[in-house]
């Protein structure tokens, strides 16, 4: 039943089964201990978390940069509209 569900989507299911078989080969064929595999898995998860955190930080910085530049563009476009309409707030700019 579980294999049928895994093989329903063949790409994911076959990759999971192949990965599990490779891990079993490491343990049984080459004498690797389960604790070593656990250590490698922990390092992998820490590195993956770091990459995800770095990507989230970059996304947040890009969001902040585009948001601040959007405000300045809106303010400058409002000022241009005021100048074109003759409603400038500076007394020196009116002629």
């Amino acid at each position: 039943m579980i294999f049928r569900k895994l093989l329903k989507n063949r790409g994911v299911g076959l990759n999971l089964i192949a990965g599990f078989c490779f891990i079993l080969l490491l343990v049984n064929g080459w004498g690797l201990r389960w604790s070593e595999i656990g250590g490698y898995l922990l390092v992998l998860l820490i590195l993956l978390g770091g990459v995800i955190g770095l990507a989230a930080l970059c996304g947040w910085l890009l969001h902040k940069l585009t948001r601040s530049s959007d405000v300045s563009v809106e303010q400058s476009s409002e000022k241009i509209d005021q100048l074109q309409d003759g409603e400038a707030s500076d007394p020196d700019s009116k002629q």
Side-chain angles (χ1 to χ4, degrees):
M1 182 86 169
I2 293 173
F3 289 118
R4 197 174 294 241
K5 285 182 182 180
L6 283 176
L7 292 176
K8 195 173 194 179
N9 187 359
R10 288 189 181 198
V12 175
L14 287 179
N15 285 332
L16 287 174
I17 292 171
F20 184 71
C21 289
F22 183 70
I23 290 172
L24 285 178
L25 177 68
L26 288 174
V27 172
N28 293 328
W30 292 323
L32 194 65
R33 289 187 218 99
W34 283 104
S35 61
E36 290 182 54
I37 292 177
Y40 290 135
L41 180 64
L42 183 63
V43 169
L44 175 83
L45 291 176
I46 289 171
L47 289 175
L48 183 64
V51 168
I52 291 173
L54 185 63
L57 178 67
C58 289
W60 179 76
L61 285 174
L62 284 173
H63 173 71
K64 288 294 183 183
L65 287 174
T66 57
R67 188 173 169 192
S68 66
S69 67
D70 287 344
V71 170
S72 65
V73 169
E74 290 174 3
Q75 289 175 350
S76 64
S77 66
E78 287 176 5
K79 197 168 194 176
I80 290 172
D81 290 341
Q82 287 177 355
L83 287 173
Q84 288 176 349
D85 293 340
E87 302 170 358
S89 60
D90 293 336
D92 296 336
S93 64
K94 289 185 180 178
Q95 294 178 0

